Amino acid sequence: MEEKYLQSVKENLKKKGYKLTGPRLAILKYLLRKKGHHSIMDIYEKMRMKNDRIGIATIYRTVDLFLELGIVRVLTINNSKPCFEINWPGDHHHHLICKGCGRIIEFGSCNFIQIVGEIERVTRFSVKEHTLEAYGLCPKCAQKTEDYSTEKI
Amino acid sequence: MEEKYLQSVKENLKKKGYKLTGPRLAILKYLLRKKGHHSIMDIYEKMRMKNDRIGIATIYRTVDLFLELGIVRVLTINNSKPCFEINWPGDHHHHLICKGCGRIIEFGSCNFIQIVGEIERVTRFSVKEHTLEAYGLCPKCAQKTEDYSTEKI
DNA sequence: TATCTTAATGATAAATATTATCATTTGAAT
DNA sequence: ATTCAAATGATAATATTTATCATTAAGATA
Ligand SMILES: [Zn+2]
Ligand SMILES: [Zn+2]
Ligand SMILES: [Zn+2]
Ligand SMILES: [Zn+2]
């Protein structure tokens, strides 16, 4: 699975005239291995700890390139630093973020496609992609909030 | 309408123990007047041009406060600087962004509510809010793309 | 395989963006 | 009017992002 995907990325790079360099491959493998959502600094520091000493500028450049090629996608939670994740082909998912503890979980159910037609008809745009993030409270944090609200003061 | 909203914001601030200061009121009125989506720098520079000379730190602090109080909400398009807009009560809308020219239009149709129940049941989260952004091509940019694709080379 | 060409990299300088500090101002309670 | 704490503005300190450029290395060529 990952091997096949790696191969497709290599072809993707080549087709567009980009080189398959050590740093690019290393960053790609890092993202494939770790799953999840990673900021620039995450990638830079974690890889450095594993003695993959790639310059910070190259991390920026590579992530930008991967974004452009659709290899990764970006997730910006509220007002904080953008995080990046592998854009697996066919894996359409969204994020549910706990406003209490910041935990992120993913969900696959998405009914946006049902209204795309109407939006295209009304706006005359052609719609290609979408992002959807939901915010709320995880069970633990919901419990805490409840505790406070019933607390005698 | 705006007068009433201003009043409710004032009460909101007071209730939480914040002061209704000149800069806060000026920034709020600016956002109410201009509509649309504004970066920190937009707000700072445009207000300054109108001789509302508020320090940049106060812009940051005030926008953060407004976010916390739900007076504004943030919109982060792709990988760029966050923009802020008034969070009118009852105005639930999303954004459609042209990947060609960057134009943003808003749409009100949203069917997310139909699947909230299922998400809550499956994830055990309680869901409060959500953001949804769609990306595509406006009619003009779609036309251009088509031109290129049929161009003889 | 050795050579060549040029894109890519890494170090770091430069530019931007954000946050912290603190003397002064100001909102609002008394 | 006086008081007091919160808020502001100027700006210093950090943090983040981009630009520069000498060096490296991927991939083409022979
Ligand atoms: Zn994800
Ligand atoms: Zn979706
Ligand atoms: Zn909007
Ligand atoms: Zn919605």
Side-chain angles (χ1 to χ4, degrees):
Chain A
M1 183 56 183
E2 296 205 356
E3 196 49 50
K4 201 176 161 190
Y5 181 63
L6 256 176
Q7 197 53 40
S8 80
V9 170
K10 289 179 185 179
E11 281 160 21
N12 196 350
L13 281 172
K14 210 172 254 184
K15 195 170 54 192
K16 300 270 174 53
Y18 296 110
K19 289 180 179 174
L20 183 70
T21 67
R24 283 172 184 169
L25 208 52
I27 293 169
L28 179 62
K29 284 182 175 171
Y30 175 85
L31 291 174
L32 285 171
R33 184 154 26 82
K34 295 285 256 174
K35 318 265 191 285
H37 313 92
H38 310 278
S39 71
I40 294 286
M41 226 17 114
D42 284 345
I43 300 171
Y44 177 70
E45 283 171 351
K46 301 276 174 56
M47 291 190 76
R48 188 148 287 242
M49 286 199 298
K50 256 185 278 168
N51 266 22
D52 247 333
R53 331 198 98 255
I54 296 172
I56 187 76
T58 297
I59 309 277
Y60 276 100
R61 288 184 288 227
T62 302
V63 167
D64 279 351
L65 178 64
F66 284 1
L67 268 179
E68 179 193 318
L69 297 178
I71 293 165
V72 304
R73 62 192 192 114
V74 62
L75 165 66
T76 306
I77 290 165
N78 251 333
N79 209 8
S80 73
K81 296 280 161 273
C83 291
F84 304 89
E85 66 180 327
I86 289 287
N87 188 24
W88 283 102
D91 170 30
H92 183 75
H93 74 260
H94 299 294
H95 301 98
L96 179 47
I97 300 127
C98 177
K99 297 207 287 182
C101 62
R103 192 155 71 95
I104 303 173
I105 68 176
E106 301 185 345
F107 61 90
S109 35
C110 167
N111 59 350
F112 181 70
I113 191 154
Q114 290 164 11
I115 59 170
V116 162
E118 190 203 334
I119 290 171
E120 290 190 320
R121 191 167 44 74
V122 171
T123 66
R124 300 278 118 202
F125 271 56
S126 71
V127 176
K128 308 292 186 192
E129 305 142 28
H130 66 274
T131 63
L132 168 60
E133 266 69 62
Y135 295 85
L137 289 175
C138 74
K140 236 176 235 178
C141 290
Q143 184 58 47
K144 267 185 224 160
T145 309
E146 208 175 305
D147 289 350
Y148 285 126
S149 69
T150 58
E151 195 175 306
K152 292 205 179 62
I153 47 172
Chain B
M1 183 56 185
E2 297 204 357
E3 197 47 51
K4 201 177 163 189
Y5 182 62
L6 256 175
Q7 198 51 42
S8 81
V9 169
K10 288 180 186 178
E11 281 161 20
N12 195 352
L13 282 172
K14 211 172 254 183
K15 195 172 54 192
K16 301 270 174 52
Y18 296 109
K19 289 180 178 172
L20 184 69
T21 66
R24 283 172 184 169
L25 209 51
I27 293 169
L28 179 61
K29 283 183 176 171
Y30 175 86
L31 291 174
L32 285 171
R33 184 154 26 82
K34 295 286 258 176
K35 320 265 191 282
H37 314 91
H38 310 278
S39 70
I40 294 285
M41 228 12 118
D42 284 346
I43 300 171
Y44 176 70
E45 284 172 350
K46 300 274 174 59
M47 291 190 77
R48 189 147 285 243
M49 287 199 297
K50 254 186 280 169
N51 266 23
D52 246 333
R53 330 199 98 255
I54 296 173
I56 186 77
T58 298
I59 308 279
Y60 276 101
R61 288 185 288 228
T62 303
V63 167
D64 279 350
L65 177 66
F66 283 2
L67 268 178
E68 180 195 318
L69 297 179
I71 294 166
V72 302
R73 61 191 192 117
V74 61
L75 164 67
T76 306
I77 290 167
N78 251 333
N79 210 7
S80 73
K81 295 279 160 275
C83 291
F84 304 89
E85 66 181 327
I86 289 287
N87 189 23
W88 281 103
D91 170 30
H92 183 75
H93 73 260
H94 299 295
H95 301 97
L96 179 48
I97 299 126
C98 178
K99 299 208 287 182
C101 62
R103 192 154 72 96
I104 304 173
I105 69 177
E106 301 185 344
F107 61 90
S109 32
C110 168
N111 58 350
F112 180 70
I113 191 155
Q114 289 164 12
I115 59 170
V116 162
E118 190 203 335
I119 290 171
E120 290 189 321
R121 192 167 43 74
V122 171
T123 66
R124 299 279 118 203
F125 271 56
S126 72
V127 176
K128 308 290 185 191
E129 306 142 28
H130 65 275
T131 63
L132 168 60
E133 266 68 63
Y135 294 86
L137 289 175
C138 73
K140 238 176 232 181
C141 290
Q143 184 58 49
K144 269 184 219 158
T145 309
E146 208 175 304
D147 291 347
Y148 285 127
S149 70
T150 57
E151 196 176 305
K152 291 203 181 61
I153 48 171

